[in-house]
Amino acid sequence: MRFEHLVDEASCAVCELSPRSALTAAHRPQKESPVTAPTTENADQSTETAAPAFDTLGLDHRVLAAVEKMGYKTPSDIQAETIPLLTEGRDVVGLAQTGTGKTAAFALPALTHMARSADAGELGSTPQTLVLAPTRELAIQVAEAFSTYAQQIPEISVLPIYGGSPYGPQLHGLRKGANVVVGTPGRVIDHMAKGSLDLSGIKHLVLDEADEMLRMGFAEEVDRILAETPKQKQVALFSATMPSAIRRISAQYLNNPAEVSVKTKTSTGDNIRQRFVQVKHSVKLEALTRIMETEPHDAAIVFVRTRSATEEVATRLTQQGLRASAINGDIPQNLREKTVENLREGRIDVLVATDVAARGLDVERISHVYNYDIPMDTESYVHRIGRTGRAGRSGEAVLFVTPRENRMLKNIERATRQKVEKMTMPSIEQVNQARLGRFSERISRTLAEEGSEGQKLGQYRDLIEEFIGKHDAGHPGADPLQVAAALVAMVHEGRPLLLEDKGEDQLVRESQRDFSKDDRGGRDAGGRGGRERAPRQAGAGNAMYKIQVGRKDGVNPGHIVGAIANEAGMSSREIGTIDIRPSFSLVELPEKLSREQWDALGKTQIGGRAIRIERDNGAPGGGGFRAGDRGKRGGGYGGGKPHNKGGGFKKKSFDGDR
């Protein structure tokens, strides 16, 4: 098995990953667990028969070996229903939420078919399986899952292709031959147009999160790709909902599909208090440190999405005096076990972890779970907060919610049938009181230990007396209090002990806002139809930008979200209000964009036309500064002329993920 992972950074290269190797830190989305959460029940299960084992579903023995190696014994509901159908060659429409194990539901049967093709010498070097995913994060996640399940089949290679990444490594991977291609719609069409992606040999086609794909404006791309693939193929369509557009695709492109629907209900322990705090993405780290400094806890887990985030957050917490360690999928198993043991024994108090790394974690002293990054599905949320409240104890779960994630909070409340209590951000005064309290406690504790460590303190006392004795009266060195203060400053290495109070506390003010009013009507209901709003005022930390495509060009919010999010490497949640006007559009984005983001946006096109992004100054004609020529007007990168002047629309389809 070979997995080609393309890293879209300056040092971009094609990495050959062995089954045990890991994705680059910046691109490690968490894998779905192929088994359902233990707290998840099948709501429409009519019988109480035991779930089948994987070895009864008709899978190839090499695929089974990989599944068993990962420690999975029982398939989830969606897997038990769909794997036999797909293994038999049926087309399938699967209705299931993210987090129910649907990736394995379509990956395992496809690999079984390809393993048998490899045995017959019919595998070839052109793609046999094509998976379409709405975002590059999901494309990477699905490709990694395929590579893991194919680890016992060395003939099969896997390649993700997605927007926002250079073409060179992807072209190289396609020329070498990829049996499984996982891609975003716009980039797949780009490679089709270049002649670098041959779809003539496709036998298995998967539409993953099809409703999300259509929400992002990729309907035309999906139609075009499906039309270019052979008529004789197996199609699996997975979606959380079944809007009319999905039914149309099913009727047009699927052959007598079996429809599988898995509904789940989740429950959380009554002994776990659930709270959420409102915070902008740019200040989440500061918010987390404030809460952890003022919230009394025994031990805690902080859940984040990526490996790099575990290290960043753990480092920040350590700098604030908290005993924290990171744990993620890249850490060797023996080190992971040692870190968990340190948490269990009280040598560390905070574990910053990804979902995958914390799987199966059971430490009784965990009093708090912090959802620093909101989970993508309710099952993951239940899994996470279940790490606290063990052995009959009470537990605390705190969820960080940005303005763009308000709907996800509502989904969690609806699915768990429990209200999540709103909490207020601790003030600067509260943080300083907590710090002073801990400082006093440390001094008292050290003095109390003089009985066991009297010799050590005695040595220090002799040194201080000698130092003071060398200085004349009036010199700072002769004042014991000044010397003690200097020692404290040395311990803190120049970092201030207390937060500086500069007047209005922005974090507290933001946490008290009603984020439900910020549900950004520009992408109402997920961007369908694009209800327009005209506010020019961006939220705190954001700014309004103008792009040169509008209603007359046929764009909708999904096209804009797809183009900006994937090209500039942003999360779609960082994109606020979208106001589409006749000849241009206004988009709310973070106020401070990086050099790389400005460069990428300066080259971004929608429908073949450069968006020519610039900061909006509120005047009728827009204005401000444009991406491409940096730093001439302050406020980040901007000023000058755009990278190019663009042109007319040469085609109707929109390359929203390029």
Side-chain angles (χ1 to χ4, degrees):
M1 180 279 302
R2 187 176 74 252
F3 172 45
E4 309 278 12
H5 178 241
L6 310 180
V7 185
D8 57 346
E9 297 180 343
S11 59
C12 180
V14 179
C15 304
E16 300 279 356
L17 297 186
S18 67
R20 296 184 181 178
S21 58
L23 281 175
T24 301
H27 300 285
R28 177 174 282 279
Q30 305 308 315
K31 296 177 286 188
E32 286 181 347
S33 169
V35 285
T36 315
T39 49
T40 303
E41 302 173 13
N42 192 341
D44 57 357
Q45 194 169 354
S46 58
T47 66
E48 296 192 13
T49 57
F54 276 106
D55 59 8
T56 66
L57 303 181
L59 296 171
D60 181 82
H61 68 278
R62 288 157 291 189
V63 176
L64 281 173
V67 171
E68 291 173 0
K69 185 176 181 180
M70 297 173 68
Y72 302 126
K73 301 296 183 184
T74 305
S76 67
D77 293 331
I78 189 67
Q79 294 162 6
E81 294 274 355
T82 58
I83 288 176
L85 294 167
L86 291 171
T87 303
E88 292 170 6
R90 288 286 303 276
D91 285 6
V92 168
V93 173
L95 298 179
Q97 298 290 333
T98 299
T100 53
K102 58 183 175 58
T103 301
F106 60 73
L108 301 183
L111 290 170
T112 291
H113 289 298
M114 287 193 292
R116 292 166 184 169
S117 294
D119 291 342
E122 300 172 354
L123 190 59
S125 59
T126 58
Q128 285 197 3
T129 296
L130 173 65
V131 182
L132 294 180
T135 65
R136 61 180 179 180
E137 291 81 12
L138 183 59
I140 296 168
Q141 172 182 308
V142 171
E144 187 188 32
F146 262 93
S147 69
T148 302
Y149 300 138
Q151 58 187 284
Q152 304 291 329
I153 316 169
E155 299 90 343
I156 294 179
S157 60
V158 184
L159 177 72
I161 58 175
Y162 46 85
S165 176
Y167 284 94
Q170 295 181 4
L171 292 170
H172 176 69
L174 289 169
R175 282 194 298 267
K176 290 181 65 176
N179 308 110
V180 179
V181 171
V182 186
T184 49
R187 186 53 64 96
V188 167
I189 285 183
D190 281 352
H191 282 291
M192 290 166 56
K194 292 175 181 294
S196 50
L197 178 58
D198 181 5
L199 300 183
S200 63
I202 292 296
K203 296 181 180 179
H204 314 281
L205 192 146
V206 180
L207 302 178
D208 194 11
E209 296 193 8
D211 52 348
E212 179 73 4
M213 238 176 317
L214 300 186
R215 184 192 72 79
M216 292 180 67
F218 294 140
E220 293 184 34
E221 285 85 344
V222 170
D223 278 329
R224 179 176 171 185
I225 293 167
L226 284 166
E228 291 291 327
T229 54
K231 290 186 177 180
Q232 298 300 319
K233 62 180 179 296
Q234 183 184 52
V235 181
L237 185 155
F238 286 84
S239 180
T241 59
M242 189 59 122
S244 58
I246 297 295
R247 292 199 177 277
R248 177 192 65 78
I249 291 175
S250 175
Q252 184 173 353
Y253 295 107
L254 276 68
N255 178 29
N256 187 29
E259 186 169 312
V260 176
S261 179
V262 174
K263 298 179 181 179
T264 60
K265 65 178 182 179
T266 55
S267 60
T268 56
D270 294 334
N271 60 331
I272 302 175
R273 180 169 66 149
Q274 301 174 63
R275 293 175 292 165
F276 77 94
V277 62
Q278 298 180 154
V279 63
K280 295 187 71 64
H281 188 274
S282 58
V283 292
K284 279 172 72 174
L285 258 177
E286 181 182 351
L288 175 65
T289 56
R290 278 200 192 188
I291 293 173
M292 295 199 74
E293 285 192 70
T294 55
E295 187 85 8
H297 64 264
D298 188 359
I301 298 183
V302 179
F303 279 101
V304 297
R305 289 202 186 103
T306 66
R307 183 194 69 82
S308 57
T310 63
E311 297 171 347
E312 178 185 4
V313 173
T315 299
R316 175 66 176 270
L317 295 178
T318 301
Q319 290 171 346
Q320 298 301 322
L322 296 165
R323 298 186 299 174
S325 291
I327 185 172
N328 54 66
D330 283 355
I331 294 177
Q333 181 66 20
N334 60 340
L335 184 55
R336 176 188 182 278
E337 293 174 355
K338 182 178 180 180
T339 303
V340 173
E341 184 63 23
N342 287 339
L343 181 71
R344 183 174 287 113
E345 298 299 324
R347 289 185 285 270
I348 62 173
D349 298 321
V350 183
L351 198 63
V352 185
T354 57
D355 286 312
V356 171
R359 185 179 294 150
L361 183 65
D362 186 2
V363 178
E364 287 187 8
R365 66 183 291 257
I366 294 173
S367 60
H368 285 65
V369 169
Y370 294 95
N371 289 278
Y372 180 81
D373 289 327
I374 195 168
M376 300 305 293
D377 55 86
T378 54
E379 288 84 357
S380 294
Y381 176 77
V382 172
H383 264 302
R384 288 180 175 187
I385 70 172
R387 300 307 102 196
T388 186
R390 310 292 252 191
R393 298 184 180 188
S394 61
E396 301 282 344
V398 179
L399 179 67
F400 287 75
V401 181
T402 67
R404 304 277 10 105
E405 295 167 340
N406 190 59
R407 280 184 226 140
M408 299 179 72
L409 169 64
K410 300 302 181 186
N411 289 341
I412 288 173
E413 291 182 324
R414 189 161 48 247
T416 60
R417 295 176 174 84
Q418 290 184 337
K419 188 72 175 177
V420 182
E421 173 190 348
K422 183 177 180 180
M423 67 181 291
T424 303
M425 186 73 62
S427 67
I428 291 175
E429 181 182 2
Q430 289 173 309
V431 173
N432 287 339
Q433 287 177 350
R435 290 185 179 184
L436 289 172
R438 287 196 303 273
F439 180 68
S440 297
E441 288 175 7
R442 289 178 63 186
I443 294 175
S444 298
R445 187 167 58 247
T446 304
L447 291 172
E449 293 172 351
E450 185 174 1
S452 60
E453 299 189 31
Q455 184 177 1
K456 181 187 295 183
L457 290 181
Q459 291 176 345
Y460 294 152
R461 187 168 53 248
D462 293 343
L463 289 172
I464 298 302
E465 288 178 349
E466 181 181 351
F467 179 86
I468 292 174
K470 291 180 178 179
H471 296 85
D472 298 329
H475 189 279
D479 184 348
L481 288 178
Q482 284 289 87
V483 174
L487 291 173
V488 172
M490 288 170 56
V491 170
H492 282 267
E493 297 179 338
R495 290 180 288 109
L497 174 63
L498 303 178
L499 292 177
E500 182 180 358
D501 192 346
K502 298 180 180 179
E504 183 181 18
D505 194 331
Q506 293 290 335
L507 269 182
V508 172
R509 184 175 66 85
E510 284 292 324
S511 72
Q512 295 171 342
R513 283 177 54 199
D514 184 359
F515 276 15
S516 63
K517 295 179 180 179
D518 260 349
D519 230 355
R520 314 300 190 198
R523 287 189 285 136
D524 183 56
R528 292 186 294 272
R531 183 183 71 194
E532 292 186 13
R533 303 175 76 184
R536 289 284 184 105
Q537 296 299 319
N542 286 358
M544 297 304 297
Y545 296 79
K546 180 181 178 184
I547 61 175
Q548 299 298 330
V549 291
R551 191 182 300 116
K552 67 180 178 60
D553 303 308
V555 300
N556 65 38
H559 301 139
I560 296 172
V561 173
I564 293 177
N566 285 284
E567 192 66 39
M570 293 183 185
S571 164
S572 61
R573 300 182 194 92
E574 295 180 81
I575 303 173
T577 302
I578 295 178
D579 180 13
I580 300 179
R581 306 294 180 88
S583 58
F584 65 91
S585 300
L586 298 173
V587 186
E588 183 183 359
L589 300 173
E591 183 175 17
K592 294 182 179 180
L593 299 177
S594 68
R595 177 191 301 268
E596 292 76 15
Q597 287 174 323
W598 271 108
D599 286 345
L601 290 171
K603 302 172 186 176
T604 298
Q605 298 184 5
I606 299 180
R609 180 170 181 170
I611 65 173
R612 299 176 64 192
I613 189 168
E614 58 187 347
R615 281 282 288 274
D616 177 61
N617 64 7
F625 55 85
R626 298 173 178 172
D629 194 10
R630 306 182 186 110
K632 294 191 177 181
R633 300 195 187 183
Y637 293 96
K641 298 180 179 180
H643 282 291
N644 55 63
K645 296 183 178 180
F649 277 67
K650 298 181 180 179
K651 58 176 185 272
K652 290 187 67 179
S653 63
F654 292 87
D655 51 351
D657 61 344
R658 294 179 189 171

